[in-house]
């Protein structure tokens, strides 16, 4: 049986300082923007600031930085419009887009068919989920099925959480997988360090960054390198009712792919293996047969 522990969502949303629009505007792409956005003069983009290297706070603990934030800056330069960054809890972003509180969600979202039914997903890069354990791997977790009988921690509303749910349903009755949900991925890792959880499952890019940048001393974590799950697209979210904005952002990203600025961002953050050659949207069906495969 799966046990859920829910933590309350932080209700306060923080508007982070906007980065200046720089670079050369592409007039044709700018014309693709909906008139509402051009009249407003900005795009509101929500990100959870607890997902390094994709989205996190800089040294001032106020400015959002990371892979997606740099991509947003480049997109802003192509569109010639300000992007206002809003720090928001991960589970609140999709409802915020549906309610038109946010125009865009840029927060390491996995693209899968069920999510495409409620929002459009611009496929920005490749990613995967991986297992995280205490250094030395005391429970000998090498694959997802090894988590039966353990306590697994995951980010609320995330693809890793759904993978844990699928595995819990497959575990034998005498070795149940207990699932703990947290509002941020770093809270899940803290649970692992404190002994509240035995294993975590998270975005590989985030996990590789955080485990490589752990403070010295104390309990350390490591990424299990033998298995990868939910290998597929990671993307940005736009409301179904906003196809013009979606298509303008796709065009801006594709222009970045073509001029090399897109790849430069991923190379800077040691994620060159995650780049795409063509920016599409709602393409989860092409990998749906293997995306949630837990038998690895």
């Amino acid at each position: 049986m799966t046990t859920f522990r829910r933590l309350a969502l932080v209700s306060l949303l923080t508007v982070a300082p906007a980065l200046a629009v720089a670079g050369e505007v592409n007039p044709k792409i700018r014309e693709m923007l909906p008139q509402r956005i051009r009249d407003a003069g900005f795009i509101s983009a929500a990100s959870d600031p607890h997902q390094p290297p994709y989205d996190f706070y800089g040294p001032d603990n106020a400015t959002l930085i990371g892979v997606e934030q740099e991509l947003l800056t480049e997109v802003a330069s192509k569109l010639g419009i300000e992007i206002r960054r809003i720090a928001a809890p991960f589970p609140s972003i999709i409802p915020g887009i549906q309610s038109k509180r946010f125009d865009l969600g840029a927060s390491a979202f996995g693209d899968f068919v069920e999510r495409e039914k409620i929002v459009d997903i611009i496929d920005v890069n490749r990613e995967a989920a991986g297992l995280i354990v205490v250094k030395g791997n005391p429970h000998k977790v090498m694959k997802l099925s090894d988590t039966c009988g353990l306590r697994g921690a995951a980010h609320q509303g995330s693809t890793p959480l759904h993978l844990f749910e699928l595995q819990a349903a497959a575990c034998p009755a005498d070795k149940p997988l207990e699932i703990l949900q947290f509002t941020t991925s770093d809270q899940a890792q803290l649970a692992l360090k404190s002994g509240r959880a035995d294993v975590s499952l998270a975005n590989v890019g985030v996990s590789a960054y955080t485990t490589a940048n752990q403070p010295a001393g104390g309990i350390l974590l490591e990424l299990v390198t033998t298995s990868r799950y939910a290998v597929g697209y990671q993307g940005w979210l736009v409301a179904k009712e906003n196809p013009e904005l979606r298509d303008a952002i796709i065009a801006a990203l594709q222009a970045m792919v073509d001029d090399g600025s897109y790849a430069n961002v991923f190379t800077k953050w040691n994620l060159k293996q995650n780049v795409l050659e063509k920016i599409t949207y709602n393409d989860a069906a092409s990998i749906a047969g293997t995306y949630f495969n837990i038998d690895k």
Side-chain angles (χ1 to χ4, degrees):
M1 178 181 295
T2 302
T3 300
F4 295 98
R5 298 181 183 177
R6 302 185 180 275
L7 297 184
L9 285 177
V10 177
S11 60
L12 179 64
L13 301 179
T14 305
V15 178
L19 301 183
V21 174
E24 185 176 347
V25 177
N26 186 313
K28 290 184 178 179
I29 298 176
R30 179 178 171 80
E31 285 299 312
M32 296 173 68
L33 286 169
Q35 191 63 48
R36 174 186 66 82
I37 293 290
R38 281 184 279 164
D39 290 344
F42 68 90
I43 297 168
S44 59
S47 304
D48 185 327
H50 300 91
Q51 301 183 106
Y54 287 103
D55 309 284
F56 61 112
Y57 284 129
D60 63 359
N61 289 318
T63 303
L64 283 166
I65 64 172
V67 176
E68 291 188 298
Q69 301 307 311
E70 292 188 15
L71 292 175
L72 286 171
T73 297
E74 293 287 342
V75 166
S77 73
K78 299 292 185 191
L79 296 174
I81 196 165
E82 177 189 353
I83 292 185
R84 293 185 181 176
R85 296 106 191 297
I86 302 170
F90 186 86
S92 74
I93 295 177
I94 290 179
I97 289 172
Q98 291 176 304
S99 67
K100 301 182 180 179
R101 190 172 191 178
F102 313 132
D103 298 312
L104 181 67
S107 199
F109 282 97
D111 180 3
F112 48 92
V113 173
E114 289 303 312
R115 185 171 278 165
E116 289 174 2
K117 293 177 181 178
I118 55 176
V119 289
D120 281 341
I121 305 176
I122 300 168
D123 296 319
V124 177
N125 60 276
R126 296 185 183 91
E127 250 303 350
L131 293 157
I132 309 168
V133 296
V134 171
K135 195 169 183 64
N137 199 356
H139 296 286
K140 308 302 180 188
V141 176
M142 305 303 292
K143 56 188 183 299
L144 198 50
S145 59
D146 293 336
T147 64
C148 293
L150 302 178
R151 297 164 298 169
H155 195 172
Q156 189 177 27
S158 67
T159 296
L161 176 64
H162 187 53
L163 288 166
F164 265 148
E165 291 171 343
L166 291 172
Q167 183 57 57
C171 288
D174 61 340
K175 291 183 67 177
L177 167 60
E178 180 182 353
I179 303 174
L180 292 78
Q181 297 187 46
F182 296 89
T183 55
T184 67
S185 55
D186 57 351
Q187 287 177 346
Q189 293 195 12
L190 284 173
L192 192 53
K193 287 187 175 185
S194 69
R196 291 176 59 196
D198 305 306
V199 59
S200 183
L201 187 63
N203 177 296
V204 168
V206 173
S207 304
Y209 181 89
T210 55
T211 55
N213 291 276
Q214 297 177 91
I219 297 174
L220 300 178
L221 304 179
E222 65 179 81
L223 179 65
V224 176
T225 60
T226 52
S227 301
R228 292 287 183 272
Y229 301 91
V231 178
Y233 295 119
Q234 183 169 279
W236 294 351
L237 313 183
V238 179
K240 289 285 188 184
E241 301 78 22
N242 214 348
E244 292 173 306
L245 176 61
R246 178 200 68 207
D247 292 345
I249 291 172
I250 290 173
L253 285 166
Q254 187 61 52
M256 291 165 54
V257 171
D258 297 340
D259 68 21
S261 56
Y262 164 90
N264 288 343
V265 173
F266 286 91
T267 299
K268 172 185 173 180
W269 291 94
N270 296 316
L271 291 170
K272 188 175 181 179
Q273 70 278 11
N274 288 8
V275 302
L276 299 174
E277 294 182 0
K278 183 174 178 59
I279 305 299
T280 59
Y281 76 98
N282 292 355
D283 196 28
S286 66
I287 53 173
T290 60
Y291 191 73
F292 284 120
N293 180 15
I294 62 173
D295 298 321
K296 296 181 183 179

